[in-house]
Amino acid sequence: MKVTTIIRSTLTLLLAVAVAVPVFAATGGQKLKVGYAPGGGSVLTFLAKDQKLFEKEGVEVELVQFASSADGLNALNSGKIDVGISFGTAGPLTFITKGADFSIIGGQLSGGHPVIALPSKAGKIKSIRDFKGKTVATPRIYTADIVWRGALKRAGIDPNKDVNIIELKNPSAVLEAVKAGKVDVGIGASSILLKAKESGVSIVGWSNDFFPQHPCCRIVVKGKAVKENPETYRAFLRAILQAEKIKWEKPALAVDVNKRYLGIDENMAREYTLEPHQQAHADPNRKGVNQMWHEMKSIDYVQSDLDVNRYINVELYRDALKELLRRHPKDKYYREAKKRFDKQN
C-alpha cells in the first residue's frame, strides 16, 4: 500500500472517531466530578441526576462521596473533583484564606444543623446562655461551629474562657462523644441527623436558632475552571434550579430519591428530606456568605483582610435563572427565585 493511501485511511479513521465522540469529551469541561458528604445537603444534586436534568442541560455528572468536608475540599483543591456541593460555608472560606482558588457559585442547603445531647442532659440547654460552663464537642471548620461560636460572642460569652470546647474532626465524632457521655452537648451537622435520631440522642436546638437560615452547603468550584468554561457551570446550575423546583412540587419524589441515594428507610428518608429547619435553595446568597465571613473574623477563626466578594460568583446563577425564566416566563417558582436572588445578592 502506498504511503499516501495509508495517510488518507488514517485521517478518515480519525475523523470518524472524532465525529463519534460525545459532546462532553469533544467540547471539554462538560464532564464534572461532584463531591458530596452524606446528608441533607445533597438532595438537589441527587434529584438533578436521578431525573436526568444534568443530561438535559448537556452536563455529565459523576458523584464522589467523602467522609468529611475537609477531605472533600482537599480533593477539590487538588483537582480530584470539579465541584463540591455539601462541604459547608465555613470550610470553603477557610480554604480561601489559605490560598485556595475557590469560587462559590450557588447553594444546596440553608440552616438545618442539629444541636444534640443525651436525653438526661437535654433539659439543661434551652438558650445560648445555657452553654456557659458546659463541655461542648464541635466539628472544627464546619459551618455550624462558626454559627454557634458567633452566637456565643454576641451573647457576651467568651468561647475560650466560658466554655470547655472539644474540637473534633467531623460531626460523626461529635455524635460519638455525645453518646459516650464525654461532653454535655454537641454541635452537629445535617449529615448526622439520621444517626442521631436512630441512636436516641435528643435534638435540643438548631443552628437556625443562632443565625436564622444561615447559608450552608455552598456549591464550590475552582475559580480558574469557571473562567475557562463558564457555560458548563451555568448548565450545572440550571439543572440544580430545576431540581429545586421539583423538590418543592413533588416532595414525595425527593423523599424517594434521598431514600435510594442515601440507602435509608422510608420513614427516615421522609423525616430527613422534609425537615423544616433545612431549606434547599440553589441561590448563592452573597449577603449570607458575607455575614458568615464577618462572624468568622469576629471570633478570630480567621485573620484576613481579603475581599470575600471576589470569591463569590453570583453571575452564573443569575444567568442560569434568567435562562429558565426565558424558557418559562410565567413560572411562579422561578419568579419567586428571582425575588429571593435580588434580596440575598
Side-chain angles (χ1 to χ4, degrees), residues 38-101:
S42 305
V43 65
L44 298 185
T45 297
F46 292 164
L47 267 168
K49 186 168 179 62
D50 188 75
Q51 298 297 298
K52 302 188 184 306
L53 299 175
F54 291 126
E55 293 180 20
K56 173 184 173 184
E57 296 298 335
V59 181
E60 183 180 348
V61 164
E62 176 187 345
L63 296 177
V64 183
Q65 183 175 312
F66 292 90
S68 71
S69 294
D71 291 343
L73 291 170
N74 276 318
L76 177 63
N77 195 37
S78 64
K80 294 179 181 178
I81 60 173
D82 305 296
V83 183
I85 59 169
S86 50
F87 303 140
T89 303
L93 291 177
T94 301
F95 270 69
I96 286 170
T97 65
K98 296 179 180 180
D101 175 32

Side-chain angles (χ1 to χ4, degrees), residues 181-249:
K182 295 180 179 178
V183 298
D184 298 308
V185 60
I187 306 302
S190 65
S191 58
I192 64 164
L193 180 57
L194 294 180
K195 291 181 180 178
K197 291 187 174 182
E198 287 175 342
S199 63
V201 169
S202 296
I203 309 298
V204 299
W206 296 88
S207 55
N208 312 53
D209 301 333
F210 310 135
F211 180 167
Q213 294 308 304
H214 63 82
C216 187
C217 296
R218 298 300 86 187
I219 298 175
V220 188
V221 301
K222 296 294 285 289
K224 181 181 179 182
V226 168
K227 292 176 182 177
E228 292 177 347
N229 200 356
E231 179 50 32
T232 297
Y233 297 96
R234 290 191 196 99
F236 182 86
L237 289 172
R238 288 196 299 270
I240 296 296
L241 262 165
Q242 291 171 76
E244 180 187 318
K245 182 172 182 285
I246 288 175
K247 183 179 184 296
W248 179 70
E249 293 178 338

